[in-house]
Structures are given as C-alpha cells and as structure tokens.
Amino acid sequence: MKKTITCLLTCLTLALLLLGSCASTFEQATMALDTGDYTAAIVKSLQSIEKGKDVPEATAVLRDAWQRANSEWNAHIATIEQSATAEELAKAIPLYNNLLEIHRIVADAGRAELKADREAVLQKALQTQQRIAKLYYTEAYTTLALGGRENARKAVTLYRLVKEYDPGYREIDYYIEQAVKQATVKVFVFTGPDTNFALNGVEMIPMVEKQLASLEFVEIVSPPNRYAAPIGDDHGAKSFARGHGAEIMLHFEPSTTWNIGAHSDIRPIKSSVTAAPDWKIEKLSMVASATCEVSYIVVDLETENTLDSGTFTVEDATDFGFSVQSVLHTGNNARVQVGNMPKAELLKKNTLAAGSDSMTLATQLRLFEKMDIPTYGFETGIAPARYGTFDPIDFNKYDTPDQLAKIQDLNGHDFFLFELIESVQVMGGKEVKNYFSPYGIYFGEGFAGRVTTAQFDMQVYKDLQTWMASRKTKAAVQEAFLPKFYKETVARKVAQNVSGALR
C-alpha cells in the first residue's frame, strides 16, 4: 500500500521551483503544461484562478492538463498491466501515485466539473498491488522449493516484497519465517592459540560472535566451554563444531606482538628560526602499538568445502592524545651571576646566533614553530607546566597518558631545558654577553625568580620522563590498550574479513 498512496510532494516542490520565480503563476502553469509536468500545471493554474488572475486562460490550462494527465497516465498503466512479471507490473505504481495526487488536488479545490474520483483510482491501484504481491509470492514459493541457502535467501527477499505490496497477504509472516530459517546458517567460531599472548585467542571470540550475529541469516552456535586448537587440527575442531549443531566453522589463529613505551621524536628547529639555527626540538609522548597476524579458514561442515581462507594483518597505535614538546639544550654549563641573583650558579645556557636577541627568538618560535609565547617575549610571559596553581605536578596520581591529557597546563606544553639564553653583542669594538631567561617571573622576583621558574619546569620534564619510563606506567598503559586491541579491534577485523563467505 505504501508504494501506491505515497504522495510525491518532494518531487512536486522541486518541479515548482524549477519553473522560476520571475514568471507569473499563469505563465508557470503554461510552462509546466508545455513540458509535460501535468501536476505542476494543475497546481499553478488553480493558484492563478484563486488569485483572480487570467481566470479564463488558467481554466483552459487546468482542463487541458487534467485531460492529458488522465489520458496519458491511464494509457501507460494499461500497457504496463499487460506484463506477466511482478517487476514489470510494479512500474505502474509511480503512475498511480501521480493520478492519486492530481485527483486529491482537484477534489480539494472543489472543481466538481472535472469529476475527480480518487477512490476509484485507489481501488484500481490496490488491485494492481495485489496482482504484484501474488506474482512475487509464486516466484518466492518456486525459488524456496529449489532448496539450498542461496535460494532460501532469495525467497526471503521475494516474500518481503509480497508483504510490502499486500501487508494482509495470507499467512505471509509465516512464510517469511520459514524462509528465514532455511536461509540461516549456524556458525561455530573456533580459535587457535596465540603463542605471544596470554589470552590465547579465546578472548576474541565474544566480539567476533557479536559482529557475525549482526549479519542477516547468521546464527551463532556458542557452547559453554571450548578449547583453543591450531588451524592444522582440522579433525578435532570440525568434530567439536559438528557436535554442537554447526553448519559452518570459522577457525582463526592470531599471532600478536606489541610495544609500549615513551617515544621521542627529535628534529632540527625550523630553518626560519635564524636566531637559533643549531637548536633541536623534541616531541615526547607515550605510545602503545600492536600488530596481529591472523590466519583463518571458513569451512562448510556439510560438504567439507573451504568457503574462504587467508591471512591478514591488523595494526593499531595511540599516543592517548597526550604529548609535550621541548627545546633541547645544545649549549653548555656556565657559572653565571646576573640581576638580583645572590651568587653565581652553575646554569645551563643556550647560545643565540650572532647579532640576535631574545625578542627575535621569541617572535620566530611563535611564528615558525607555533609555540605559545606571548607577543612581549619570554621573560614576562611564558609560564611553566603546572596545575593552574603553583603546586608541582604529582605524577603519582596518574596511571595513563589520557589522564595527563586533562591537565591543560601540561598537555602540549613547550619546555625549555635550560635556564639562560646567551646573546653576544658587539659594543665599542668589544663583544658583550647578555643573558635572558626563557621564562617569566612565577617563582620569585627578578632574574633569580626567572631562573627558579626555569628550574621548576625542567624538573617537571624530568619527572614526566621518569613516569613514562616506570614499570608501573608501562603496565597501566598496556592494560588500557592491549586488551581492547585484542578483544575488539582484531576481533572486528576477523568478522569483517569472513563475513562475505557467510552471506
């Protein structure tokens, strides 16, 4: 029924828009009639009549469009209804839709002289639908009688078309149910041992079964207990599967390797940063990655035929959305006393290119390395990594990098792994060394405070490196990543690769 009574409002709206907004309503009606769009011609002519514009002319267009539509569409329907197949006969349905729509429009407009009779059109459409349903039923019945899962699946599709065209067809739900039973295959999922992984493949099975069970015509046979047998153990695996009523067996064997640890990516600073041509940038993150090589075979237990087999690789990696960046120290240690520092200290310093200064460096790092440095430079703005307070970050509170990623002052932070920046200026024919700090005043006053801030940030970086290198962190990262990779990522890929053989 739905296919008959569906009003083509979307198509009608588009057609009316295509007529153009510049022409008058009557002109749009005429244009629609000339192009054979009878529905639009009827709508626009009625609108013109309602507005009192060009009434005699619009009435003539209305009658002409009405007559042509009924004559041409009914003639086309009559030709189609001589067909002997459901597929050909179904081509009449869009035409019935068109007729039902114009009969509704004319009746709603009160144009009794046109003798609209939507009920008569509807009854003819219903009769055609019933013919279509009967033809599909006969085809479905014949196809199902041929036997085999493939024919049963074709029959299911045909029976569903019967119900679509005639929802009240006798016992149609029963026939669909019987065809689905014949079309459904019982699948047993078996796994071989994974020599590199303690879970031995059995842990993948629930997700593989879940994915396969979502396929139409697949029923999972899942016993309370099972063992892990190598693919080469065909006899034992097949016998075990048959013993549980399975018709098809999927037997797969994984081999998993993984790597968990801190990842350091060191590169030269961008050449556009001319103030510090020899400096380096390090991106530090905690990376978990895994690879699983999977061999599989799909066997028809009734015929002993191999339906599919092969080997594929599944890979995945993550940094948990957390990383930091550091400007590496390439200079040396020097005993320096500047500003209000109480005494000379042994400090790490980096050297700028001749003639450069800290403001030039700050500008270039901000523009070319995209570092978050305030426009007024290092010493008054750049902040250390912290909680947003002045408390040191306690890494013992965190297990995995995604937890650290929630610390906004830490994730993506740029560390400067030195206390001083040394620049050399020539004044009066002599070289004069000037010192700046890469940090602002956050821990103390004056230059001593800037040095203390730099030392605080370097300690945070060391603590982070220690945290990443610890066994506790590696174990937590492995527990967060590897079971999900093994039980979900690989299992989904297994199901995806074999699903074609079950269709």
Side-chain angles (χ1 to χ4, degrees):
M1 277 291 292
K2 288 184 179 178
K3 286 196 173 185
T4 298
I5 64 173
T6 298
C7 295
L8 305 178
L9 295 180
T10 302
C11 295
L12 176 58
T13 301
L14 290 173
L16 296 177
L17 288 173
L18 290 173
L19 289 173
S21 58
C22 296
S24 69
T25 307
F26 170 67
E27 289 170 335
Q28 291 176 32
T30 303
M31 291 166 58
L33 180 62
D34 291 341
T35 58
D37 189 348
Y38 302 134
T39 304
I42 290 169
V43 170
K44 285 300 177 181
S45 60
L46 286 170
Q47 289 178 356
S48 183
I49 293 168
E50 185 178 357
K51 292 177 182 178
K53 302 286 187 178
D54 305 299
V55 174
E57 295 85 351
T59 301
V61 170
L62 171 63
R63 290 173 177 169
D64 196 2
W66 172 257
Q67 183 178 2
R68 288 195 202 178
N70 280 278
S71 177
E72 291 181 18
W73 292 343
N74 277 310
H76 196 181
I77 288 171
T79 300
I80 292 172
E81 289 188 337
Q82 295 176 21
S83 303
T85 66
E87 187 176 359
E88 285 298 315
L89 193 57
K91 294 178 181 179
I93 300 304
L95 295 169
Y96 274 121
N97 269 317
N98 292 341
L99 283 171
L100 287 167
E101 179 65 5
I102 64 170
H103 277 252
R104 180 193 64 79
I105 292 170
V106 168
D108 289 348
R111 306 297 299 198
E113 77 279 8
L114 297 180
K115 299 179 181 180
D117 191 349
R118 189 173 185 276
E119 187 60 31
V121 176
L122 181 58
Q123 289 306 312
K124 286 183 63 179
L126 289 173
Q127 291 172 9
T128 299
Q129 283 197 168
Q130 289 168 355
R131 277 188 62 201
I132 295 170
K134 187 174 181 180
L135 287 169
Y136 273 132
Y137 174 82
T138 301
E139 186 179 354
Y141 184 87
T142 303
T143 302
L144 188 63
L146 295 174
R149 281 194 293 269
E150 188 63 30
N151 287 323
R153 293 177 181 185
K154 292 177 182 178
V156 170
T157 300
L158 294 168
Y159 277 134
R160 286 173 178 168
L161 285 170
V162 173
K163 186 172 182 178
E164 184 176 347
Y165 281 96
D166 187 357
Y169 200 93
R170 62 185 185 280
E171 298 183 319
I172 188 60
D173 289 330
Y174 169 79
Y175 292 119
I176 292 174
E177 181 183 351
Q178 294 305 305
V180 167
K181 285 182 179 180
Q182 292 186 44
T184 298
V185 61
K186 295 181 179 180
V187 178
F188 187 91
V189 180
F190 222 90
T191 182
D194 190 326
T195 55
N196 298 321
F197 203 79
L199 298 179
N200 286 326
V202 176
E203 295 289 336
M204 288 188 199
I205 289 177
M207 178 58 73
V208 174
E209 290 181 335
K210 180 180 178 181
Q211 297 294 306
L212 295 181
S214 67
L215 299 174
E216 190 173 30
F217 308 130
V218 172
E219 178 184 335
I220 297 299
V221 177
S222 186
N225 299 298
R226 73 185 85 203
Y227 63 95
I231 285 182
D233 182 18
D234 285 341
H235 178 74
K238 291 175 183 177
S239 297
F240 190 79
R242 285 194 190 96
H244 289 87
E247 299 166 312
I248 287 181
M249 180 184 72
L250 159 63
H251 196 163
F252 69 91
E253 189 168 294
S255 178
T256 309
T257 56
W258 64 92
N259 183 53
I260 308 291
H263 179 71
S264 173
D265 180 19
I266 300 175
R267 61 171 175 82
I269 202 165
K270 290 187 173 150
S271 59
S272 302
V273 185
T274 57
D278 299 325
W279 291 15
K280 292 182 174 60
I281 303 294
E282 178 183 40
K283 182 179 179 181
L284 185 64
S285 57
M286 192 75 178
V287 175
S289 62
T291 300
C292 188
E293 301 286 341
V294 182
S295 300
Y296 71 95
I297 185 170
V298 182
V299 180
D300 187 326
L301 296 173
E302 297 175 348
T303 64
E304 291 285 333
N305 291 334
T306 298
L307 303 178
D308 192 15
S309 64
T311 302
F312 60 89
T313 302
V314 185
E315 296 178 318
D316 195 17
T318 181
D319 63 3
F320 297 90
F322 173 80
S323 67
V324 296
Q325 186 171 261
S326 62
V327 180
L328 294 181
H329 174 67
T330 59
N332 52 39
N333 294 335
R335 192 167 294 280
V336 180
Q337 181 179 11
V338 291
N340 65 336
M341 290 173 58
K343 62 179 181 178
E345 292 185 39
L346 191 65
L347 303 176
K348 291 184 178 180
K349 66 180 178 68
N350 256 4
T351 303
L352 298 183
S356 298
D357 56 37
S358 64
M359 287 300 294
T360 299
L361 175 64
T363 299
Q364 291 179 348
L365 290 177
R366 184 173 62 251
L367 291 177
F368 304 121
E369 285 289 354
K370 307 303 179 185
M371 291 186 179
D372 186 17
I373 300 174
T375 55
Y376 39 87
F378 295 110
E379 297 192 337
T380 53
I382 195 167
R386 53 204 176 102
Y387 285 116
T389 68
F390 291 99
D391 297 326
I393 295 174
D394 184 0
F395 289 96
N396 292 322
K397 295 181 178 179
Y398 306 96
D399 294 321
T400 54
D402 56 316
Q403 296 172 1
L404 294 182
K406 297 176 182 178
I407 306 175
Q408 293 184 358
D409 286 355
L410 178 62
N411 193 22
H413 180 69
D414 294 315
F415 289 90
F416 291 83
L417 303 182
F418 46 87
E419 289 101 331
L420 300 176
I421 303 171
E422 179 184 272
S423 63
V424 179
Q425 305 291 331
V426 177
M427 300 178 66
K430 295 183 178 181
E431 289 187 348
V432 178
K433 293 183 178 180
N434 295 307
Y435 293 96
F436 303 89
S437 168
Y439 289 90
I441 302 172
Y442 284 83
F443 294 91
E445 296 295 328
F447 207 97
R450 292 194 282 271
V451 170
T452 301
T453 302
Q455 292 171 341
F456 171 89
D457 216 27
M458 284 192 290
Q459 185 60 49
V460 173
Y461 191 76
K462 289 179 181 178
D463 292 343
L464 175 59
Q465 288 178 308
T466 300
W467 179 86
M468 286 184 170
S470 72
R471 290 183 178 180
K472 177 184 175 183
T473 301
K474 288 183 178 179
V477 169
Q478 179 172 319
E479 179 60 30
F481 170 75
L482 200 52
K484 183 176 181 181
F485 169 79
Y486 200 70
K487 297 178 186 179
E488 298 181 21
T489 305
V490 177
R492 286 194 180 97
K493 191 67 174 179
V494 170
Q496 178 184 337
N497 272 266
V498 305
S499 60
L502 306 178
R503 296 187 188 280

